[in-house]
Short mmCIF file of all heavy atoms in Angstrom, two decimals:
data_model
loop_
_atom_site.label_atom_id
_atom_site.label_comp_id
_atom_site.label_asym_id
_atom_site.label_seq_id
_atom_site.Cartn_x
_atom_site.Cartn_y
_atom_site.Cartn_z
N MET B 304 0.97 21.81 35.70
CA MET B 304 0.84 22.00 37.15
C MET B 304 2.14 21.57 37.83
O MET B 304 2.60 22.24 38.78
CB MET B 304 -0.35 21.21 37.70
CG MET B 304 -1.67 21.58 37.07
SD MET B 304 -2.11 23.33 37.29
CE MET B 304 -2.96 23.26 38.87
N ARG B 305 2.73 20.47 37.35
CA ARG B 305 3.98 20.03 37.98
C ARG B 305 5.09 21.04 37.78
O ARG B 305 5.89 21.28 38.69
CB ARG B 305 4.36 18.65 37.41
CG ARG B 305 3.49 17.52 38.00
CD ARG B 305 3.73 16.22 37.25
NE ARG B 305 3.01 15.08 37.87
CZ ARG B 305 1.74 14.79 37.70
NH1 ARG B 305 0.99 15.56 36.94
NH2 ARG B 305 1.20 13.73 38.27
N ARG B 306 5.16 21.65 36.57
CA ARG B 306 6.20 22.62 36.30
C ARG B 306 6.02 23.87 37.15
O ARG B 306 6.98 24.45 37.66
CB ARG B 306 6.20 23.00 34.81
CG ARG B 306 6.57 21.86 33.87
CD ARG B 306 7.99 21.43 33.97
NE ARG B 306 8.93 22.51 33.78
CZ ARG B 306 9.28 22.99 32.60
NH1 ARG B 306 8.78 22.46 31.50
NH2 ARG B 306 10.14 23.97 32.52
N VAL B 307 4.78 24.34 37.28
CA VAL B 307 4.52 25.53 38.10
C VAL B 307 4.89 25.26 39.55
O VAL B 307 5.56 26.07 40.20
CB VAL B 307 3.04 25.96 37.99
CG1 VAL B 307 2.74 27.10 38.96
CG2 VAL B 307 2.71 26.38 36.56
N ALA B 308 4.49 24.09 40.05
CA ALA B 308 4.82 23.74 41.43
C ALA B 308 6.34 23.65 41.62
O ALA B 308 6.88 24.15 42.62
CB ALA B 308 4.16 22.41 41.80
N ASP B 309 7.03 23.02 40.68
CA ASP B 309 8.49 22.94 40.74
C ASP B 309 9.10 24.32 40.87
O ASP B 309 10.01 24.54 41.67
CB ASP B 309 9.05 22.29 39.46
CG ASP B 309 8.91 20.78 39.46
OD1 ASP B 309 8.61 20.22 40.54
OD2 ASP B 309 9.07 20.17 38.40
N ALA B 310 8.60 25.26 40.05
CA ALA B 310 9.15 26.62 40.07
C ALA B 310 8.99 27.27 41.44
O ALA B 310 9.77 28.13 41.82
CB ALA B 310 8.47 27.46 38.99
N LEU B 311 7.99 26.82 42.18
CA LEU B 311 7.71 27.40 43.51
C LEU B 311 8.27 26.56 44.64
O LEU B 311 8.08 26.87 45.81
CB LEU B 311 6.19 27.56 43.69
CG LEU B 311 5.54 28.59 42.75
CD1 LEU B 311 4.03 28.46 42.79
CD2 LEU B 311 5.97 29.99 43.13
N GLY B 312 8.92 25.46 44.30
CA GLY B 312 9.49 24.61 45.34
C GLY B 312 8.48 23.77 46.09
O GLY B 312 8.74 23.35 47.23
N ILE B 313 7.32 23.53 45.50
CA ILE B 313 6.33 22.68 46.15
C ILE B 313 5.91 21.59 45.16
O ILE B 313 6.42 21.53 44.04
CB ILE B 313 5.09 23.48 46.62
CG1 ILE B 313 4.39 24.16 45.43
CG2 ILE B 313 5.50 24.54 47.64
CD1 ILE B 313 3.15 24.95 45.84
N LYS B 314 4.99 20.70 45.58
CA LYS B 314 4.52 19.64 44.71
C LYS B 314 3.18 20.05 44.09
O LYS B 314 2.44 20.83 44.67
CB LYS B 314 4.34 18.34 45.50
CG LYS B 314 5.63 17.84 46.13
CD LYS B 314 6.66 17.48 45.10
CE LYS B 314 7.93 16.92 45.76
NZ LYS B 314 8.97 16.59 44.77
N ALA B 315 2.88 19.44 42.95
CA ALA B 315 1.67 19.85 42.21
C ALA B 315 0.39 19.81 43.03
O ALA B 315 -0.41 20.74 42.95
CB ALA B 315 1.54 19.02 40.93
N PRO B 316 0.14 18.76 43.81
CA PRO B 316 -1.12 18.75 44.58
C PRO B 316 -1.28 19.94 45.53
O PRO B 316 -2.42 20.32 45.84
CB PRO B 316 -1.05 17.43 45.36
CG PRO B 316 -0.18 16.57 44.52
CD PRO B 316 0.85 17.49 43.95
N SER B 317 -0.17 20.54 45.92
CA SER B 317 -0.27 21.70 46.81
C SER B 317 -0.92 22.90 46.16
O SER B 317 -1.52 23.74 46.83
CB SER B 317 1.12 22.10 47.31
OG SER B 317 1.75 20.99 47.90
N LEU B 318 -0.79 22.98 44.84
CA LEU B 318 -1.39 24.11 44.13
C LEU B 318 -2.89 24.17 44.37
O LEU B 318 -3.49 25.25 44.33
CB LEU B 318 -1.11 24.02 42.62
CG LEU B 318 0.35 24.22 42.20
CD1 LEU B 318 0.52 23.92 40.72
CD2 LEU B 318 0.82 25.63 42.53
N TYR B 319 -3.50 23.01 44.60
CA TYR B 319 -4.96 22.96 44.71
C TYR B 319 -5.46 23.53 46.03
O TYR B 319 -6.67 23.62 46.24
CB TYR B 319 -5.46 21.51 44.48
CG TYR B 319 -5.19 21.08 43.05
CD1 TYR B 319 -3.97 20.52 42.70
CD2 TYR B 319 -6.12 21.31 42.05
CE1 TYR B 319 -3.70 20.18 41.39
CE2 TYR B 319 -5.86 20.97 40.72
CZ TYR B 319 -4.64 20.42 40.41
OH TYR B 319 -4.36 20.10 39.13
N LYS B 320 -4.51 23.91 46.90
CA LYS B 320 -4.93 24.66 48.10
C LYS B 320 -5.12 26.14 47.76
O LYS B 320 -5.65 26.91 48.53
CB LYS B 320 -3.89 24.52 49.21
CG LYS B 320 -3.80 23.12 49.77
CD LYS B 320 -5.08 22.76 50.47
CE LYS B 320 -5.20 21.31 50.89
NZ LYS B 320 -4.08 20.73 51.57
N HIS B 321 -4.64 26.54 46.58
CA HIS B 321 -4.66 27.96 46.22
C HIS B 321 -5.49 28.28 44.99
O HIS B 321 -5.95 29.40 44.82
CB HIS B 321 -3.23 28.45 46.00
CG HIS B 321 -2.35 28.16 47.17
ND1 HIS B 321 -2.36 28.93 48.32
CD2 HIS B 321 -1.46 27.17 47.39
CE1 HIS B 321 -1.49 28.43 49.18
NE2 HIS B 321 -0.93 27.36 48.65
N VAL B 322 -5.61 27.31 44.08
CA VAL B 322 -6.45 27.48 42.89
C VAL B 322 -7.28 26.21 42.73
O VAL B 322 -6.81 25.12 43.02
CB VAL B 322 -5.62 27.71 41.60
CG1 VAL B 322 -4.85 29.03 41.67
CG2 VAL B 322 -4.67 26.55 41.34
N PRO B 323 -8.52 26.36 42.31
CA PRO B 323 -9.39 25.17 42.20
C PRO B 323 -8.96 24.18 41.12
O PRO B 323 -9.15 22.99 41.30
CB PRO B 323 -10.78 25.75 41.93
CG PRO B 323 -10.53 27.13 41.42
CD PRO B 323 -9.26 27.62 42.06
N ASP B 324 -8.39 24.70 40.01
CA ASP B 324 -7.99 23.80 38.93
C ASP B 324 -7.07 24.55 37.97
O ASP B 324 -6.76 25.72 38.18
CB ASP B 324 -9.22 23.25 38.18
CG ASP B 324 -10.16 24.34 37.70
OD1 ASP B 324 -9.69 25.47 37.43
OD2 ASP B 324 -11.37 24.08 37.61
N LYS B 325 -6.63 23.86 36.94
CA LYS B 325 -5.68 24.47 36.01
C LYS B 325 -6.29 25.62 35.23
O LYS B 325 -5.61 26.62 34.96
CB LYS B 325 -5.15 23.41 35.03
CG LYS B 325 -4.03 23.98 34.17
CD LYS B 325 -3.50 22.98 33.17
CE LYS B 325 -2.33 23.60 32.41
NZ LYS B 325 -1.87 22.73 31.30
N THR B 326 -7.56 25.50 34.88
CA THR B 326 -8.21 26.60 34.17
C THR B 326 -8.14 27.89 34.97
O THR B 326 -7.85 28.96 34.43
CB THR B 326 -9.69 26.24 33.88
OG1 THR B 326 -9.72 25.12 32.98
CG2 THR B 326 -10.42 27.40 33.27
N ALA B 327 -8.42 27.77 36.28
CA ALA B 327 -8.37 28.97 37.12
C ALA B 327 -6.96 29.54 37.17
O ALA B 327 -6.76 30.76 37.18
CB ALA B 327 -8.87 28.63 38.52
N LEU B 328 -5.98 28.66 37.21
CA LEU B 328 -4.59 29.12 37.22
C LEU B 328 -4.29 29.88 35.93
O LEU B 328 -3.67 30.95 35.96
CB LEU B 328 -3.67 27.90 37.37
CG LEU B 328 -2.16 28.14 37.49
CD1 LEU B 328 -1.52 27.07 38.36
CD2 LEU B 328 -1.50 28.13 36.12
N GLU B 329 -4.70 29.33 34.81
CA GLU B 329 -4.46 30.01 33.54
C GLU B 329 -5.16 31.36 33.49
O GLU B 329 -4.64 32.32 32.91
CB GLU B 329 -4.96 29.14 32.37
CG GLU B 329 -4.08 27.92 32.14
CD GLU B 329 -4.60 27.04 31.01
OE1 GLU B 329 -5.80 27.14 30.68
OE2 GLU B 329 -3.80 26.26 30.48
N LEU B 330 -6.32 31.44 34.11
CA LEU B 330 -7.06 32.71 34.07
C LEU B 330 -6.39 33.78 34.93
O LEU B 330 -6.56 34.97 34.68
CB LEU B 330 -8.51 32.49 34.51
CG LEU B 330 -9.34 31.74 33.47
CD1 LEU B 330 -10.72 31.40 34.03
CD2 LEU B 330 -9.49 32.57 32.19
N LEU B 331 -5.62 33.38 35.93
CA LEU B 331 -4.80 34.36 36.64
C LEU B 331 -3.84 35.03 35.68
O LEU B 331 -3.62 36.24 35.71
CB LEU B 331 -3.99 33.69 37.76
CG LEU B 331 -4.74 33.14 38.96
CD1 LEU B 331 -3.76 32.48 39.92
CD2 LEU B 331 -5.51 34.26 39.67
N VAL B 332 -3.26 34.21 34.81
CA VAL B 332 -2.30 34.73 33.84
C VAL B 332 -3.02 35.60 32.80
O VAL B 332 -2.54 36.67 32.42
CB VAL B 332 -1.56 33.56 33.15
CG1 VAL B 332 -0.60 34.08 32.09
CG2 VAL B 332 -0.82 32.72 34.18
N VAL B 333 -4.17 35.13 32.36
CA VAL B 333 -4.95 35.86 31.36
C VAL B 333 -5.36 37.24 31.89
O VAL B 333 -5.25 38.25 31.18
CB VAL B 333 -6.19 35.03 30.96
CG1 VAL B 333 -7.24 35.89 30.26
CG2 VAL B 333 -5.77 33.87 30.07
N ALA B 334 -5.80 37.27 33.15
CA ALA B 334 -6.23 38.56 33.72
C ALA B 334 -5.07 39.54 33.73
O ALA B 334 -5.22 40.72 33.38
CB ALA B 334 -6.77 38.34 35.13
N GLY B 335 -3.89 39.04 34.11
CA GLY B 335 -2.72 39.91 34.10
C GLY B 335 -2.42 40.43 32.71
O GLY B 335 -2.04 41.59 32.53
N GLY B 336 -2.60 39.58 31.72
CA GLY B 336 -2.36 39.99 30.34
C GLY B 336 -3.32 41.07 29.88
O GLY B 336 -2.91 42.02 29.21
N PHE B 337 -4.58 40.95 30.26
CA PHE B 337 -5.56 41.98 29.88
C PHE B 337 -5.18 43.35 30.46
O PHE B 337 -5.30 44.37 29.80
CB PHE B 337 -6.97 41.59 30.35
CG PHE B 337 -7.72 40.80 29.33
CD1 PHE B 337 -7.89 39.44 29.47
CD2 PHE B 337 -8.26 41.42 28.20
CE1 PHE B 337 -8.59 38.70 28.52
CE2 PHE B 337 -8.96 40.69 27.24
CZ PHE B 337 -9.12 39.32 27.41
N VAL B 338 -4.73 43.33 31.70
CA VAL B 338 -4.32 44.59 32.33
C VAL B 338 -3.13 45.18 31.58
O VAL B 338 -3.09 46.37 31.26
CB VAL B 338 -4.00 44.37 33.82
CG1 VAL B 338 -3.35 45.61 34.41
CG2 VAL B 338 -5.26 43.99 34.59
N GLU B 339 -2.16 44.33 31.26
CA GLU B 339 -0.98 44.81 30.54
C GLU B 339 -1.33 45.38 29.18
O GLU B 339 -0.80 46.42 28.77
CB GLU B 339 0.01 43.66 30.34
CG GLU B 339 0.77 43.30 31.60
CD GLU B 339 1.76 42.16 31.35
OE1 GLU B 339 2.09 41.89 30.18
OE2 GLU B 339 2.17 41.55 32.34
N VAL B 340 -2.22 44.70 28.45
CA VAL B 340 -2.62 45.18 27.13
C VAL B 340 -3.30 46.54 27.23
O VAL B 340 -3.00 47.47 26.48
CB VAL B 340 -3.55 44.18 26.41
CG1 VAL B 340 -4.22 44.83 25.21
CG2 VAL B 340 -2.77 42.97 25.99
N ALA B 341 -4.21 46.65 28.19
CA ALA B 341 -4.92 47.92 28.36
C ALA B 341 -3.92 49.04 28.66
O ALA B 341 -4.00 50.13 28.09
CB ALA B 341 -5.96 47.79 29.48
#
Side-chain angles (χ1 to χ4, degrees):
Chain B
M304 301 300 273
R305 285 170 174 81
R306 294 292 304 281
V307 174
D309 282 347
L311 294 168
I313 61 179
K314 300 296 183 182
S317 305
L318 291 173
Y319 294 87
K320 292 294 171 48
H321 306 281
V322 295
D324 53 29
K325 187 181 184 187
T326 295
L328 184 149
E329 289 178 340
L330 288 173
L331 291 178
V332 178
V333 163
F337 270 104
V338 170
E339 285 180 18
V340 166

